[in-house]
Structures are given as structure tokens and as C-alpha cells.
Amino acid sequence: MFERINYKNEAREQLKGKLKTPIIAFVVTMAITAMAAGLPQENLDGTTGLISFLLISFINSVSFFAFLRIFIQIYNTKTKAEFSDFINSFSHFVKAFLGFLWFYLWVGLWSLLFFFPGIVKAFSYSQMFFVLAENPKISVSKAMNISKVLTRNHKGDLFLMSLSFFGWEFLSMLTLFILQIWVKPYEAMSFTNAYYALKEEAFRTGSLTPADFES
């Protein structure tokens, strides 16, 4: 059973007194993303444009991966994460980048059929980032396969959970996105709770076992 409201309520409790590092990590992540997006794109030939795209993708994927690992740690340790934990997660840059490319490759291929299949597959593969953040030694293809099992019969639930943050996103726009420094950690923690709930359900039903999460 997917309990969206509970995951969000739990997230608010889990982040009490532990918001400092998530907020700083989010600001750093956004700053890195903004700098990457600001790289010159004009008058690039095919090869140079591809290199620029890969560089931007690399920067974004690694910073996002490190940001996500903070919430994995908070969930498992029940304690606050340190900024050094965020920085140390950059050591997994290869797995973060490969996961990003693999995800968008397959979502892109499905989107060629029609827009809707691409959205469905995006939610089907969405949990692979949590799998990789929790178990960086797992292969990218295995993480994607695990995600497909975790999201079976729950893609609609994840979509509705994403929509449930629309109000916060709208309020954030009214504050010139300043509110994002609280909204994004809240959202990430909520989806981390959803990931672990999906994982527990998979164990309970026998769809997956702890051995499946080993490298």
C-alpha cells in the first residue's frame, strides 16, 4: 500500500533539526547546475556541442547523486548529515553519470514512440537513482531492473505524489524560488521514504530479496 501522506508527514519530522546540511547541499547543487547551464552554447559544432552536453550532464548528475545520498543517510541513521557527507559522495561520480545517461537514454527511446510512454517509463525507472545512491556498487542496468520491480503497480502513485508538491512549487515561485531551499529537501526526503516503503513491500511479497541489492 502506497501511503503518500504518511511519507510526507514523516519527512517533516525526519528533517526537524537536520535541515542545515540539506539546505546548504541544495544551494550548492543549484549553484553548480546554474554554472553548468551557463556554459557557452552558441556556435558550437556537432562534436563540441556533444562534449558540452556531456559535461553539463556530468556536473548535474554528480551533484544530484550527492544530494540524494544525504537523505538516504538521514533515513538510515536517524541523525543529521554533515556537509562532508555530501562532498564525499562526489567520489561516486562514475556511477552517478552512468546512471544519468542510462536513464535518459531509455526514457528518450520510449519517448520516440509517443510522449506518454516516455512519462510512464520515467516513473518506472525513477527508483534506480535511490538504488544507486544506497548501493553505489550495483550496476546501472541492475538498478534499473530493480526500479522496474519496485514501481510495478505504483507508477501512478509516484505520479500523484509528484503532483502533490505542485502547490509548494507554486508558492516557491511567488517567493522568487527562495522557498525551494525548504521545498526540495522536503520533497527529496518524502520520496526517500516512498523508496524504502516500496522496497519493504517488494521484500514482503517476494518480488525482491536483500540479495538483489548486493553488487
Side-chain angles (χ1 to χ4, degrees):
M1 185 175 180
F2 194 92
E3 300 178 335
R4 179 181 73 250
I5 295 176
N6 286 346
Y7 307 148
K8 296 173 71 173
N9 289 338
E10 289 171 4
R12 289 194 290 269
E13 290 298 318
Q14 289 163 313
L15 290 174
K16 284 183 178 178
K18 307 183 187 76
L19 269 171
K20 180 180 177 181
T21 295
I23 287 175
I24 295 174
F26 174 71
V27 171
V28 170
T29 299
M30 289 300 97
I32 292 173
T33 301
M35 287 188 290
L39 292 174
Q41 301 293 315
E42 299 83 3
N43 303 318
L44 298 180
D45 58 34
T47 301
T48 307
L50 176 60
I51 293 174
S52 178
F53 168 76
L54 291 175
L55 177 59
I56 293 171
S57 298
F58 175 80
I59 294 171
N60 289 342
S61 60
V62 174
S63 57
F64 172 73
F65 183 89
F67 181 67
L68 199 58
R69 277 178 61 85
I70 289 176
F71 303 96
I72 295 289
Q73 179 173 334
I74 291 175
Y75 182 93
N76 285 302
T77 65
K78 315 302 181 192
T79 60
K80 64 181 181 180
E82 301 295 336
F83 185 67
S84 58
D85 298 319
F86 172 70
I87 297 300
N88 290 340
S89 294
F90 280 73
S91 63
H92 301 293
F93 62 90
V94 173
K95 191 58 62 71
F97 184 48
L98 290 178
F100 179 93
L101 291 181
W102 197 242
F103 175 87
Y104 282 101
L105 169 64
W106 283 103
V107 171
L109 289 174
W110 279 103
S111 296
L112 291 176
L113 298 177
F114 196 62
F115 184 67
F116 182 71
I119 295 177
V120 172
K121 289 300 179 180
F123 282 100
S124 177
Y125 306 150
S126 63
Q127 302 306 294
M128 68 180 288
F129 296 109
F130 291 96
V131 175
L132 291 172
E134 184 185 27
N135 312 275
K137 293 183 179 179
I138 286 183
S139 70
V140 169
S141 59
K142 184 176 182 180
M144 178 173 281
N145 288 332
I146 289 174
S147 179
K148 288 189 286 187
V149 175
L150 291 174
T151 58
R152 190 178 297 155
N153 300 321
H154 290 298
K155 290 181 281 293
D157 293 320
L158 290 167
F159 174 69
L160 290 176
M161 186 164 172
S162 297
L163 287 182
S164 73
F165 287 95
F166 178 79
W168 286 113
E169 297 292 348
F170 179 75
L171 287 175
S172 180
M173 286 192 295
L174 298 180
T175 64
L176 300 178
F177 297 101
I178 295 174
L179 190 59
Q180 287 280 293
I181 64 173
W182 179 82
V183 173
K184 286 305 177 183
Y186 169 43
E187 186 175 350
M189 192 74 247
S190 298
F191 276 100
T192 299
N193 290 335
Y195 162 69
Y196 279 103
L198 293 174
K199 185 177 177 182
E200 290 175 9
E201 180 181 308
F203 287 168
R204 187 171 61 253
T205 61
S207 300
L208 294 168
T209 69
D212 292 315
F213 289 79
E214 297 175 359
S215 58

